[in-house]
Amino acid sequence: MQNNTDIGRLLSKLKLNDSLNIEEDLGNGYVRLKISEADRRQALQDISCVEDIVVEMMRNSRDAKSRNIFIGTKKIEDKRRKIYFIDDGEGIPPKLQDLIFESRVTSKLENGIKDTYGFHGRGMALFSIKLNTEEIRIIFSDRSKGASFYLDIDLSKIPEKKDQSIMPQLIRMDGDLSIIGGVNNIIKTIIEFQLQSSGINFYYGTPTQVLSTMRESMKKDSKYSGYPKFDTWEKLKDYIQKNNIKVTEIPILTDNYNLMDDIAKNIFNMHISRRGIQRIIYNEIKALKPLKISLNGSLVGKADRTGEDTIDNAKKTGKKLILYDENKLASRFKDEEIRCIIKAVEDKI
């Protein structure tokens, strides 16, 4: 009688081994695993906090061969955490975009990954996130075009670390880099993941900063001069459908702030103020740097989430409050309009 090892070799040679683990072939490389196979790939941890969700999203993007990951967050009255998670990976075909949130659905039949967080490839990560959040959905994705996710988390059900501003530090021990200090907040979670995935750039900030950074990143790309510009949503949508363009490249396809508002809402589910959209178009928001820790232990790429000077800050620091930038005003308005604006501002302030 043959033992299990012999039977396993035989099945492998006949290429039948995988079929015993599959309940349903969904096409495009996605399958639904049998319960026994999903259980065999048991993860080491469940979703218990916001930082766990961020880890699982980053693992998915890493496995999708992403080179750039943008994480925009917004906290609502200490009650909700909204996350805008965008990557330039392999993307998800439209017909599978609802199925991937079901249990045991995965594209990792042959290449499940074991990392420091456990085994990844059970088809349970997005399913678990869906169970633990008020909402998770794909706003935009397609094969080879990356993906844009939106998540809404009720912090009374899934908490996060209370101090999201504490920064970790990096030290070298026995030739290896290690993180010390801080709490296991979102920033530290990203840094720890980045140390294991050095080929990926992680950008973390507000939705407005993320959108602006995607535009600025594309301006440095050698393809920039070849990008067309659009003024209407219908023409832009048609171009996106017919061309192999990443979701992270879409914000550079217009200089029209009405269309930029459409992109923010329809591609990323970001609801940004009119003033915020204008600041993005006129390059008034400093682009984020990739989030990482330098060898001297300082954090590079930390987001300034305030974005603007205020009268109160100016009083405290003694820094002069700049009411307007004449060069940037000149790019928008005629001289007589600028004089009228400046007079109104000076009279008011």
Side-chain angles (χ1 to χ4, degrees), residues 69-86:
I69 296 175
F70 297 84
I71 305 171
T73 68
K74 181 164 60 174
K75 195 171 185 179
I76 310 296
E77 297 179 349
D78 289 332
K79 297 179 180 179
R80 306 289 271 256
R81 171 68 70 181
K82 295 182 183 291
I83 299 178
Y84 309 84
F85 195 98
I86 305 137

Side-chain angles (χ1 to χ4, degrees), residues 66-112:
S66 301
R67 298 272 66 87
N68 297 282
I69 296 175
F70 297 84
I71 305 171
T73 68
K74 181 164 60 174
K75 195 171 185 179
I76 310 296
E77 297 179 349
D78 289 332
K79 297 179 180 179
R80 306 289 271 256
R81 171 68 70 181
K82 295 182 183 291
I83 299 178
Y84 309 84
F85 195 98
I86 305 137
D87 68 45
D88 58 0
E90 295 175 336
I92 305 156
K95 70 177 184 178
L96 294 169
Q97 290 178 12
D98 290 329
L99 289 173
I100 65 168
F101 296 108
E102 296 182 7
S103 65
R104 296 177 282 117
V105 173
T106 182
S107 61
K108 305 176 184 68
L109 176 60
E110 297 179 351
N111 61 341

